[in-house]
């Protein structure tokens, strides 16, 4: 019987990045973060949707990379001297809001509220490949600028518009008159 893993270092080679192109993504989570110098950002953990492999226009993107994560950092703005302002560009936040379907005119009170409104939404984004140099080493990396985010062309099956409320499953349920004593419970 084979074990859990037969260690073979030659198989540890998938460090590829996403191909450049248009992707349909699901936003798995959004977290606040920052650099060691204190520059704040929101990190969008996006996953390439698996349900669109058969869509011809996504054959070179979603079908090729479905299930892969892309982490997109949206940084607070800097002033003309390069100092962190501590505030996000309103244009960046509005690109995101429009793409995830936050209604025009909505008053989002806090950053946490905004991040929560973005989670578990689907969006259409443009991913590019750039070469970055850090500490003298060049490497290819993905970029995904928020001005390329759009509403999805392929809403999830069975999804409802964001402004509809779910019906209460206990509505009109009067319950039971049976009394249960704590001594009758097995825990």
């Amino acid at each position: 019987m084979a074990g859990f893993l037969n260690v073979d270092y030659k198989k540890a080679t998938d460090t590829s990045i996403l191909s450049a192109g248009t992707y349909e993504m699901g936003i798995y989570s959004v977290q606040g973060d920052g650099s060691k110098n204190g520059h704040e950002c929101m990190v969008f953990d996006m996953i390439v949707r698996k349900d669109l492999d058969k869509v011809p226009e996504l054959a070179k993107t979603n079908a090729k990379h479905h299930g892969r994560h892309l982490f997109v950092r949206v940084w607070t703005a800097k002033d003309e001297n390069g100092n962190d302002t501590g505030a996000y560009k309103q244009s960046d936040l509005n690109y995101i809001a429009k793409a995830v379907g936050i209604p025009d005119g909505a008053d989002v009170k806090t950053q946490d509220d905004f991040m929560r409104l973005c989670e578990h939404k689907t969006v259409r984004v443009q991913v590019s490949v750039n070469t970055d140099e850090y500490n003298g080493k060049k490497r290819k990396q993905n970029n995904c600028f928020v001005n390329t985010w759009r509403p999805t062309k392929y809403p999830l099956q069975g999804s409802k518009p964001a402004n509809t409320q779910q019906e209460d499953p206990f509505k009109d349920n009067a319950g039971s008159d049976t009394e249960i004593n704590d001594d009758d419970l097995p825990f």
Side-chain angles (χ1 to χ4, degrees):
M1 180 170 154
F4 171 70
L5 172 67
N6 182 8
V7 177
D8 182 353
Y9 291 163
K10 288 179 242 145
K11 292 181 181 175
T13 59
D14 188 11
T15 59
S16 63
I17 58 175
L18 299 177
S19 305
T22 301
Y23 287 82
E24 289 279 341
M25 300 273 203
I27 300 172
Y28 178 71
S29 68
V30 187
Q31 304 288 322
D33 199 4
S35 71
K36 58 185 170 185
N37 296 330
H39 192 185
E40 293 182 28
C41 68
M42 287 183 278
V43 181
F44 288 76
D45 178 1
M46 303 176 125
I47 301 175
V48 179
R49 288 178 56 183
K50 297 179 180 181
D51 59 329
L52 302 173
D53 285 0
K54 304 241 186 284
V55 175
E57 71 170 314
L58 299 173
K60 294 182 180 178
T61 56
N62 281 65
K64 185 176 177 184
H65 297 288
H66 66 246
R68 298 270 307 273
H69 287 256
L70 176 68
F71 295 92
V72 178
R73 285 175 170 67
V74 179
W75 295 94
T76 52
K78 291 189 176 188
D79 64 18
E80 59 277 355
N81 297 322
N83 298 316
D84 185 7
T85 64
Y88 290 92
K89 287 173 131 180
Q90 291 294 297
S91 59
D92 287 351
L93 299 180
N94 278 290
Y95 279 121
I96 297 168
K98 185 175 182 179
V100 300
I102 298 173
D104 194 17
D107 184 21
V108 181
K109 300 291 184 201
T110 68
Q111 179 178 332
D112 286 338
D113 291 342
F114 179 76
M115 292 188 302
R116 223 176 358 265
L117 288 168
C118 293
E119 287 184 335
H120 310 295
K121 299 295 192 307
T122 55
V123 292
R124 184 177 187 83
V125 301
Q126 189 68 33
V127 174
S128 61
V129 177
N130 300 82
T131 301
D132 183 49
E133 186 172 342
Y134 183 71
N135 288 339
K137 294 183 181 179
K138 290 184 178 182
R139 66 183 178 113
K140 291 191 181 285
Q141 68 179 26
N142 287 126
N143 284 323
C144 181
F145 298 104
V146 297
N147 64 350
T148 70
W149 293 24
R150 302 288 183 265
T152 183
K153 279 189 175 179
Y154 305 96
L156 294 172
Q157 296 298 316
S159 63
K160 295 180 179 180
N163 59 357
T164 62
Q165 290 189 350
Q166 232 179 353
E167 186 177 325
D168 181 0
F170 300 107
K171 182 181 170 191
D172 300 326
N173 184 353
S176 171
D177 292 335
T178 306
E179 290 208 21
I180 299 175
N181 186 333
D182 285 345
D183 295 331
D184 294 335
L185 298 174
F187 45 89

